[in-house]
């Protein structure tokens, strides 16, 4: 999955330095953490930082987990790992080059005809094979 904002909606918001002290304390109490009113915001945020990985979850990840699946997130700025982006680029370029009337039905017709010619599976396999032949590149991408 790419890193589009709508794919990265959090299940629950975790406190940040922009939060009011009282709200941070309330959030921490709700998680069963013992903190007191004398703690300053940086101290409270240190407690948040310690427990945040437990609560830092995405809605979509939890949805697919119920189906016994796991989301594999693509590294940022690696569109070559998301072939649909590359295919979409080809389709848009075709429409732009062949759009003579600028009428919506004609644009739709160009779009539909070009999409029908794209073999998404073949394209995806070709892109994937490029990376499997470059073991070092794949290893670097995975560890980033």
């Amino acid at each position: 999955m790419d890193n589009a904002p709508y794919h990265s909606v959090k299940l629950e918001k975790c406190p940040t330095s922009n939060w009011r002290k009282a709200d941070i304390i309330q959030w921490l109490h709700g998680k069963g953490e013992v903190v007191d009113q004398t703690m300053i915001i940086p101290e409270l945020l240190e407690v948040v930082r310690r427990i945040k990985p437990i609560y830092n979850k995405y809605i979509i990840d939890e949805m697919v987990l119920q189906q016994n699946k796991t989301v594999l997130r693509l590294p940022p700025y690696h569109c070559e790992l998301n072939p649909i982006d590359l295919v979409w680029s080809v389709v848009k370029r075709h429409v732009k080059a062949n759009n003579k009337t600028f009428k919506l039905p004609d644009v739709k017709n160009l779009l539909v005809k070009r999409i029908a010619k794209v073999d998404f599976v073949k394209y995806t396999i070709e892109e994937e094979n490029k990376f499997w032949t470059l073991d070092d590149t794949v290893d670097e991408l995975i560890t980033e």
Side-chain angles (χ1 to χ4, degrees), residues 14-60:
C14 294
T16 66
S17 59
N18 294 333
W19 281 37
R20 291 180 27 233
K21 179 179 175 178
D23 294 335
I24 297 171
I25 291 172
Q26 182 181 358
W27 187 87
L28 287 168
H29 282 161
K31 304 301 178 219
E33 291 294 316
V34 179
V35 294
D36 61 63
Q37 298 291 337
T38 63
M39 294 176 76
I40 60 174
I41 290 178
E43 292 172 324
L44 293 168
L45 289 174
E46 184 59 33
V47 177
V48 169
R49 188 191 62 73
R50 182 174 46 80
I51 68 169
K52 186 176 180 177
I54 299 168
Y55 303 102
N56 197 19
K57 298 179 180 177
Y58 298 104
I59 291 173
I60 193 107

Side-chain angles (χ1 to χ4, degrees), residues 1-142:
M1 184 172 305
D2 65 16
N3 294 290
Y6 45 85
H7 292 152
S8 301
V9 176
K10 299 283 184 169
L11 195 57
E12 158 179 19
K13 291 186 186 215
C14 294
T16 66
S17 59
N18 294 333
W19 281 37
R20 291 180 27 233
K21 179 179 175 178
D23 294 335
I24 297 171
I25 291 172
Q26 182 181 358
W27 187 87
L28 287 168
H29 282 161
K31 304 301 178 219
E33 291 294 316
V34 179
V35 294
D36 61 63
Q37 298 291 337
T38 63
M39 294 176 76
I40 60 174
I41 290 178
E43 292 172 324
L44 293 168
L45 289 174
E46 184 59 33
V47 177
V48 169
R49 188 191 62 73
R50 182 174 46 80
I51 68 169
K52 186 176 180 177
I54 299 168
Y55 303 102
N56 197 19
K57 298 179 180 177
Y58 298 104
I59 291 173
I60 193 107
D61 292 358
E62 296 303 308
M63 288 172 59
V64 299
L65 192 58
Q66 292 172 2
Q67 303 296 318
N68 294 322
K69 307 240 184 310
T70 304
V71 172
L72 176 62
R73 294 188 177 277
L74 298 173
Y77 310 111
H78 287 286
C79 64
E80 67 275 5
L81 297 176
N82 191 1
I84 190 67
D85 286 346
L86 299 175
V87 169
W88 186 238
S89 171
V90 169
V91 170
K92 288 192 300 185
R93 200 169 30 251
H94 170 78
V95 170
K96 182 179 179 181
N98 295 288
N99 185 9
K100 306 299 181 210
T101 65
F102 299 96
K103 294 180 181 173
L104 193 54
D106 294 337
V107 171
K108 180 181 177 184
N109 190 32
L110 285 168
L111 181 69
V112 169
K113 284 183 179 178
R114 185 61 179 108
I115 287 175
K117 292 180 182 179
V118 176
D119 184 343
F120 289 94
V121 174
K122 178 183 172 196
Y123 195 87
T124 301
I125 291 170
E126 288 173 359
E127 288 299 312
E128 187 178 82
N129 285 338
K130 288 179 190 175
F131 280 94
W132 285 121
T133 59
L134 303 170
D135 288 341
D136 292 338
T137 303
V138 172
D139 289 342
E140 287 175 26
L141 291 173
I142 291 172

